[in-house]
Amino acid sequence: MTSRPIPVPLTLGHTDIDGDHQEFTEWLVRLEAASGAEFIQQFGQLTDHLSHHFERENTLMVQSSYPACTEHRGEHNRVLGEMINFRARVESGRVSFGRAYVLEQLPGWFDLHVTTMDAALVEHLKRSQV
């Protein structure tokens, strides 16, 4: 299994969003090194983190009348749905499925999401002063 390098979070200039991105990358590092039992627990914690992380962004989008809210929220829902499905597999003992997802899929998704969707959101928030 070839893993992608853990992304270095870009600073977009929004304290809460940048903090969530930093925390997400820290979870990826922890999960990469986690043993089977630790991985199961930490995968659940990462899923919970993403739920809160996405909800914060979703709230900011609604508060600021972000024009791309539907698409951005849809991407959050898609990834959170994947995390929930993988969490069920991981908790049933199929750790390799979750590990492959964390190492092979999440880093690339995160880089793309931050540099496109989140960067556009933060620019909108700066203009809206939210």
Side-chain angles (χ1 to χ4, degrees):
M1 170 181 358
T2 303
S3 66
R4 294 177 182 239
I6 300 298
V8 175
L10 298 173
T11 302
L12 299 176
H14 189 281
T15 303
D16 291 336
I17 291 174
D18 289 342
D20 283 339
H21 291 168
Q22 178 65 41
E23 188 174 344
F24 176 79
T25 58
E26 290 168 2
W27 275 114
L28 291 182
V29 170
R30 281 194 289 272
L31 281 162
E32 185 174 41
S35 69
E38 291 173 324
F39 187 91
I40 293 169
Q41 178 186 23
Q42 291 177 8
F43 192 91
Q45 292 170 330
L46 172 60
T47 304
D48 294 342
H49 161 77
L50 277 178
S51 178
H52 297 296
H53 171 157
F54 291 164
E55 190 53 41
R56 180 190 324 271
E57 287 184 18
N58 293 343
T59 298
L60 289 169
M61 289 188 285
V62 169
Q63 289 174 343
S64 68
S65 301
Y66 184 53
C69 182
T70 301
E71 295 81 8
H72 198 144
R73 184 187 296 261
E75 183 65 6
H76 288 167
N77 291 341
R78 182 188 69 77
V79 171
L80 190 57
E82 288 178 358
M83 290 292 297
I84 291 167
N85 286 332
F86 278 104
R87 183 181 194 171
R89 289 179 179 181
V90 166
E91 289 175 350
S92 72
R94 298 165 74 190
V95 172
S96 62
F97 284 97
R99 191 175 299 281
Y101 182 69
V102 166
L103 297 177
E104 297 173 14
Q105 299 299 314
L106 282 181
W109 165 80
F110 180 71
D111 277 339
L112 182 62
H113 186 78
V114 170
T115 58
T116 57
M117 291 187 159
D118 285 348
L121 171 59
V122 168
E123 284 307 310
H124 170 78
L125 293 172
K126 288 177 182 177
R127 288 190 305 275
S128 302
Q129 298 183 347
V130 173

